[in-house]
Amino acid sequence: MKFQSIVLLIVVMWASTAMNQAIQPESGSSVDVNDLHVIDIANFAVTEYSKGTITRYVSKLKLDKVIKGESQELAGGINYHLIVSASRRYQRIHNYEAVVLEKPSEHFKNLTSFKLVYA
Ligand SMILES: *[C@@H]1O[C@H](CO)[C@@H](O)[C@H](O)[C@H]1NC(C)=O
């Protein structure tokens, strides 16, 4: 390979790395808690979590609101990391930490984790 080609290659690689960093921050970007899509994701998380419990005797968890969250674009989709408040009927509101993976092109959503947050 000629010297000029090597220099060009290095410049191109450096430029694309710099651009990727600008577009995709490592930590994810914060979401708008009033965004209807974000609320949809939060409702999905709470509903999915409720399915895993004995709902016949224990009332279902119901979303109160999205407190804060981040979304991060991955190769296969978008990972949502949300802090939501939710409660069961006649019970106190608690905060939960939910992680949902969404693949919009496949209309796929999966609840990866759902945990009570002790505040
Ligand atoms: C959803 O996420 C859980 C927890 O990470 C995993 O065990 C499960 O296989 C996933 N389901 C699908 C359909 O990807």
Side-chain angles (χ1 to χ4, degrees):
M1 213 189 275
K2 277 195 293 189
F3 177 72
Q4 282 100 325
S5 333
I6 292 171
V7 170
L8 183 64
L9 191 67
I10 290 170
V11 169
V12 168
M13 279 167 54
W14 173 83
S16 69
T17 306
M19 267 166 65
N20 280 342
Q21 279 169 355
I23 295 165
Q24 298 181 335
E26 290 265 324
S27 57
S29 45
S30 38
V31 297
D32 175 359
V33 297
N34 297 312
D35 185 306
L36 289 181
H37 187 66
V38 170
I39 294 168
D40 245 25
I41 297 284
N43 267 312
F44 168 80
V46 168
T47 306
E48 280 298 298
Y49 177 70
S50 287
K51 281 184 193 168
T53 61
I54 305 162
T55 50
R56 190 166 163 197
Y57 302 107
V58 181
S59 61
K60 281 182 184 169
L61 202 55
K62 190 172 174 296
L63 180 70
D64 174 47
K65 60 174 188 274
V66 181
I67 295 169
K68 63 179 179 178
E70 286 188 348
S71 68
Q72 191 169 17
E73 288 204 31
L74 308 172
I78 306 166
N79 213 27
Y80 288 90
H81 194 146
L82 306 176
I83 303 292
V84 303
S85 62
S87 65
R88 295 184 194 285
R89 205 146 41 133
Y90 310 126
Q91 292 184 16
R92 277 187 53 202
I93 290 178
H94 291 287
N95 290 354
Y96 297 86
E97 185 184 342
V99 181
V100 175
L101 172 67
E102 185 192 27
K103 296 177 184 173
S105 59
E106 296 169 30
H107 300 285
F108 171 87
K109 286 199 275 288
N110 192 27
L111 181 63
T112 311
S113 109
F114 197 90
K115 281 183 284 195
L116 184 63
V117 177
Y118 296 94

